[in-house]
Structure formats: C-alpha cells, structure tokens
Amino acid sequence: MPLPRRRLGPFAVSALGLGCMNLSHAYGEPPPAAAAEALLRRALDLGVTLFDTAALYGFGANESMVGRVLKPYRARITLASKCGMTGVDGKRVIDGRPATLRRTCEEALQRLQTEVIDLYYLHRLDPQVPVEDSVGALGELVSSGKIRAIGLSEVSAATLRRAHAVQPITAVQNEYSLWTREPEIALLAECRRLGVAFVAFSPLARGFLTGKLSEPNFVAKDIRLAMPRFQPACFGRNLGLLPPYRALAREAGCTPSQLALAWLLAKGDDIIPIPGTTRIEHLEEDLAAAAVRLDDGLIRRIDALINERTVAGDRYNAASRPEIDTERFPDREPGQEA
C-alpha cells in the first residue's frame, strides 16, 4: 500500500519521512557505504519522498552520500537539509551569522548535487545572532533560488513567532515522541496558529520505543552515552515502562516501534515523523506504521503510560542544554514523578 501524503508547506510528502543522520553520525560506527546506500534506495522503493540530512551529520559526509544516491530521483523527492551547526576542525560549532549560512548553503548544494534545496533549516539558534538576522539570510537564499522554503530546528514558540514575522517559516523540526513532550507546552499550538508544519525527529525516542533496548550498552561516540535518560539511575526506571508498553502494542496489533509512530501520526495531520535507522528490516517495520489505526481510548492509555511525568531524566545534559531553545518542563530528580 502506498504511503499516505501530508502537506509540508508547498510540498506534498510521504506521511513518514526518513531521517538520514544515523547513516553517518551520532550512534557509534555508521554502516558500510553500500548498506547505507541500499537503505536509501529501499526507502525510495517503499514510497518515502521526504529525506532529511544536515551539514553536521558526518561533517558533510551524509549530505554527500544522500546527494550521490538520490540525484537520479531528485524530481520525485523533497530534500531537506540544515545549516547553522557544522563541523569545524573536527568540532561541532553553532554559527548562525548570515555570511556563514550563505557559504554553507553553497557547500551543501555541491555535496547534495542539486541546484536547489527544498527545505533548509536553521539547525540551532545561535545565541550570539538574532534569529531575525539568520532567517533574513535564509530569505535571501529563497529569493536567489538556492532554497525553496525555510525551517527552524529545536526552537521555542517565541523564537518561531519572531522568525515568522521576518520570513515565512514552512516547518519546525523538534524532537517529539511519547517520552519527549516539550512541543506540547506551546510550540505545537503556535505552529498551528501560523500554519507551520511540525517535523518530529527522534520519534522512537532514540531507540527506546522500539522496545528492544534492555540495557544501555552503547559503543563509543554514541551520543546517548551523555544523555541523562540513558544513565543507569534513570534508564533502569524507564525500562519499567516497556512491559506495559509492549502489551499496548500487542493490543493494537503492531510492534512497539509502529505504536510510537502511529501515536504521532494520530496527533495531527500537520505532524510528519522522520524515523531513522541503519537496517532495511527496521525501515520496513517503521513505514508499515502508516497503516496502523489507534482508537481514542487506546491513545489515552498510551498517553497516560509514557509522558513527561513518568519518564525519568532530561533529554540533554547540563552542558548541552544551553544549545537548545525549546520550552522545558520543570526540573525533576531522576525518577521523580511530578
């Protein structure tokens, strides 16, 4: 069955997109190039039309791979990338200055082997640069035909309002899943007020909602090693959520991964999850979530089981929090319910 479509500004895209980060970045050793390329082609075969990458992922390597593999199919896909956070001398740097965004766009166009990027996000808000200046530069890229639409990532409702007053914002991409509910504080409502699509990254809670993580034995360079929710004090408590969660998935007739994605899809037609994976069998499982239907009663029970009160730990550690502009729930001690 073909994937249903959802509106992403001027684009009609598959209801589930593909987050390409995992193929080059963040979760330890990436897969071999041949396997990554095969996964991208399989996503195309299965009807995915929204592919999401960034200059940061693999410090350009992900954009290069996505560009190389998808170039023959460019006319049938919506290509999204991000600027404002890149690798400089082997380190991650947030830089939202207009000159930097213009330069990195040119570099991205070359790596992606395309004449225009459909949706170009400001990956992080640079606290040293007014968001009006950053999106003003992106507006110039729209006018010059380098990009078609502007997005923001990991921003608050207030920042979205400021940016949208300067340039039309097509989409916001923030983390959103059963165990990351911060968008529900204010951002989702603001997106809907302004007619901005919401793209949900890490919809499977960085693998937790697959139901397959029994202990946090992550390899070196896996970003989850620094995340409080995966630290022993919190992870042990969070594991207690999985048995009843698996039971709800069985009741719905789907896998835990599919339940998490179906829950997001049911939250609104303006929400587009972009799960990522390195394995074709997981890709196929994830995309099958588009056919799962959840009744209102089951959704309420899922909501009550996994939410901001029942999940232990913050999503980022203290060192990373200043980089994030999103609203936050009040701090809690590990494992403490509000």
Side-chain angles (χ1 to χ4, degrees):
M1 184 174 72
L3 288 174
R5 294 290 187 262
R6 293 194 165 184
R7 296 302 309 182
L8 181 60
F11 315 109
V13 301
S14 51
L16 290 161
L18 180 67
C20 299
M21 180 182 75
N22 306 39
L23 301 177
S24 306
H25 185 84
Y27 296 116
E29 192 67 27
E37 293 173 8
L39 187 139
L40 289 172
R41 294 191 180 95
R42 182 59 178 153
L44 281 166
D45 292 342
L46 293 171
V48 173
T49 65
L50 175 62
F51 291 83
D52 184 273
T53 181
L56 178 71
Y57 304 159
F59 291 2
N62 196 254
E63 283 183 326
S64 295
M65 178 181 61
V66 168
R68 181 177 65 254
V69 175
L70 299 184
K71 182 179 180 180
Y73 315 98
R74 183 67 185 87
R76 54 186 266 207
I77 67 169
T78 298
L79 182 61
S81 193
K82 307 180 196 73
C83 61
M85 185 162 64
T86 56
V88 178
D89 296 329
K91 296 181 179 180
R92 185 182 65 173
V93 173
I94 295 174
D95 185 349
R97 292 175 296 176
T100 301
L101 303 186
R102 288 190 290 266
R103 173 177 55 80
T104 53
C105 180
E106 294 293 341
E107 295 167 352
L109 288 167
Q110 292 181 27
R111 287 192 292 260
L112 291 166
Q113 300 187 43
T114 187
E115 294 180 354
V116 60
I117 299 168
D118 295 315
L119 177 58
Y120 205 40
Y121 293 95
L122 183 67
H123 204 159
R124 290 290 187 275
L125 178 67
D126 184 342
Q128 306 303 317
V129 179
V131 70
E132 293 86 351
D133 292 353
S134 296
V135 299
L138 295 180
E140 293 172 3
L141 294 173
V142 172
S143 298
S144 63
K146 304 290 186 180
I147 68 177
R148 290 194 170 104
I150 300 170
L152 302 173
S153 183
E154 288 283 47
V155 297
S156 64
T159 296
L160 172 60
R161 281 193 298 272
R162 288 173 54 194
H164 196 73
V166 175
Q167 294 289 335
I169 303 301
T170 291
V172 168
Q173 182 182 140
N174 279 24
E175 183 175 357
Y176 187 30
S177 70
L178 276 164
W179 86 343
T180 296
R181 301 294 194 93
E182 283 82 354
E184 297 174 358
I185 298 173
L187 182 62
L188 275 172
E190 191 63 19
C191 284
R192 285 164 177 161
R193 187 182 75 82
L194 297 173
V196 174
F198 190 97
V199 175
F201 79 80
S202 293
L204 297 177
R206 303 187 187 277
F208 181 80
L209 292 173
T210 66
K212 298 169 184 173
L213 290 180
S214 58
E215 53 184 312
N217 289 333
F218 303 129
V219 299
K221 297 184 179 181
D222 191 310
I223 60 175
R224 291 172 291 187
L225 289 169
M227 293 179 171
R229 289 177 180 177
F230 292 98
Q231 299 302 308
C234 294
F235 193 74
R237 181 179 176 89
N238 290 333
L239 280 178
L241 299 169
L242 289 181
Y245 179 68
R246 293 191 192 101
L248 290 173
R250 288 193 296 270
E251 183 177 335
C254 65
T255 68
S257 296
Q258 290 166 350
L259 187 67
L261 294 169
W263 176 85
L264 269 173
L265 291 170
K267 286 293 177 177
D269 291 341
D270 53 349
I271 295 174
I272 303 165
I274 51 168
T277 182
T278 61
R279 297 172 61 177
I280 287 178
E281 61 266 33
H282 292 168
L283 170 72
E284 294 171 345
E285 176 186 351
D286 291 347
L287 296 181
V292 175
R293 298 292 177 263
L294 306 176
D295 64 52
D296 291 343
L298 183 56
I299 290 174
R300 285 193 294 271
R301 290 158 60 201
I302 299 168
D303 278 329
L305 176 64
I306 303 180
N307 57 58
E308 73 281 1
R309 298 178 303 279
T310 63
V311 172
D314 204 341
R315 65 190 185 106
Y316 287 116
N317 60 25
S320 298
R321 286 180 193 170
E323 300 177 355
I324 307 301
D325 177 58
T326 57
E327 290 86 3
R328 282 172 45 84
F329 291 107
D331 287 334
R332 291 177 286 120
E333 293 298 319
Q336 175 189 349
E337 293 189 15

